[in-house]
Amino acid sequence: MEGLELWGPAVKWGSDHRLPSAAACCAACKAMCPHPKDGACRCDSWVFCGDERKCKDRLGECWLKKQKDVMAPAVIAKGEDVMWTSGLIFGKGEGIVGLETNLGTLHIQLLPGCAPRSVDHFIELLGLRNCAGCRFYRAEGRGNVWDAKGDHEKNVAFGPPYALLQGTLEVDGVPFKKIPREACPAVKRGSVAWVGSGPEFLISLADHEEWRDAYTVFGNVLPMDMAIAEEMTLLPTSTDVWSNVKVKVLKDPVYFKVKRSSNASAV
């Protein structure tokens, strides 16, 4: 993220480590997570100065750091006037959040590499320790349109049904900051993506190649939890029409809490 300076203990000082781009700085951190010698994640955040006008004699500095808590990184400065660009690297088992419902918990692996601002939103959400109002309100199964693997059946229209869950991550009483478009992969089975700029989002139950790059994917549901998503499509629904599109709306929304991971307390 441009305009962000992360703090924390340095594992490599930028004053002695200069690189040509933010991508190169990120790659240097990735090379240490896991470390080739012992498999440990020795670097989980990086800070780069790439604005020639603002950085001046600090141009190219690449600081590699290790956060005390990568899901609650230390931020020293943030805003348009900040000359630094920073990013996070998640090691194995890190960067996972859970949407805890009465049917079970959907664990989502976040994607900081292509959706950093979306990941930043989740970090802020975890900091609130409150997700009142977060819920799923639309649930549509695969029907006869997609098979169990999420592949589209030949010679069949692309819905309805549209093989997705839709909900909102807007917390009651907290203004939602629109998420800018980010360059993440196409929507596949298990993909979690924003609808527009949020706070509405969807979880895909199938490969939606027909959507091309219309959505920002910011995470993936872990395969072991897709059965929970499928179960939600079996709940009672009613039919409605949104902008000339036939949809299935849950008669009783499924509310959820957001938690850090399987061994973290719910928030």
Side-chain angles (χ1 to χ4, degrees):
M1 285 180 58
E2 295 181 355
L4 174 66
E5 182 180 3
L6 294 178
W7 203 238
V11 296
K12 184 165 288 190
W13 287 61
S15 52
D16 302 319
H17 184 230
R18 296 180 187 252
L19 292 175
S21 67
C25 187
C26 175
C29 186
K30 279 186 176 181
M32 300 174 67
C33 185
H35 196 276
K37 290 186 178 180
D38 55 16
C41 189
R42 298 186 183 180
C43 175
D44 57 18
S45 53
W46 53 271
V47 183
F48 177 76
C49 203
D51 187 312
E52 186 173 359
R53 181 180 62 83
K54 293 180 180 178
C55 297
K56 297 180 180 178
D57 60 346
R58 305 196 70 176
L59 182 67
E61 286 191 9
C62 172
W63 293 75
L64 304 184
K65 303 186 176 188
K66 178 68 174 176
Q67 298 292 321
K68 181 178 180 181
D69 182 353
V70 71
M71 288 297 283
V75 178
I76 190 173
K78 189 175 184 180
E80 294 181 357
D81 58 336
V82 176
M83 66 184 184
W84 300 95
T85 296
S86 298
L88 297 176
I89 303 292
F90 291 148
K92 185 177 180 180
E94 296 179 329
I96 297 174
V97 295
L99 307 186
E100 187 179 71
T101 77
N102 61 337
L103 299 177
T105 300
L106 294 165
H107 293 89
I108 298 172
Q109 176 68 65
L110 298 175
L111 304 174
C114 59
R117 295 189 182 279
S118 300
V119 172
D120 187 56
H121 170 75
F122 268 91
I123 290 174
E124 291 183 358
L125 185 60
L126 289 168
L128 290 176
R129 303 191 65 79
N130 169 33
C131 203
C134 296
R135 64 194 182 279
F136 290 105
Y137 52 76
R138 177 185 177 189
E140 301 185 18
R142 290 175 282 103
N144 297 319
V145 182
W146 290 271
D147 64 20
K149 295 181 180 179
D151 295 326
H152 182 251
E153 300 287 0
K154 294 182 179 179
N155 302 319
V156 179
F158 289 98
Y162 293 98
L164 59 81
L165 303 178
Q166 186 172 336
T168 181
L169 279 161
E170 185 169 26
V171 179
D172 290 346
V174 180
F176 183 86
K177 300 176 184 177
K178 295 294 184 180
I179 306 294
R181 185 67 179 277
E182 298 187 283
C184 258
V187 179
K188 302 289 186 180
R189 177 172 167 82
S191 294
V192 189
W194 296 113
V195 176
S197 300
E200 314 306 313
F201 75 105
L202 63 84
I203 295 176
S204 178
L205 306 182
D207 295 348
H208 283 288
E209 295 180 1
E210 76 279 11
W211 291 348
R212 301 183 185 277
D213 58 353
Y215 297 90
T216 291
V217 176
F218 60 83
N220 295 308
V221 175
L222 299 189
M224 64 183 182
D225 294 333
M226 286 302 292
I228 298 171
E230 295 280 2
E231 184 179 356
M232 208 175 298
T233 68
L234 302 178
L235 297 174
T237 60
S238 59
T239 301
D240 201 354
V241 177
W242 298 351
S243 301
N244 296 320
V245 177
K246 185 178 179 181
V247 300
K248 290 186 177 181
V249 180
L250 289 167
K251 290 187 176 180
D252 295 309
V254 176
Y255 288 85
F256 59 81
K257 298 178 181 179
V258 177
K259 65 179 188 179
R260 290 186 46 149
S261 65
S262 58
N263 61 355
S265 59
V267 298

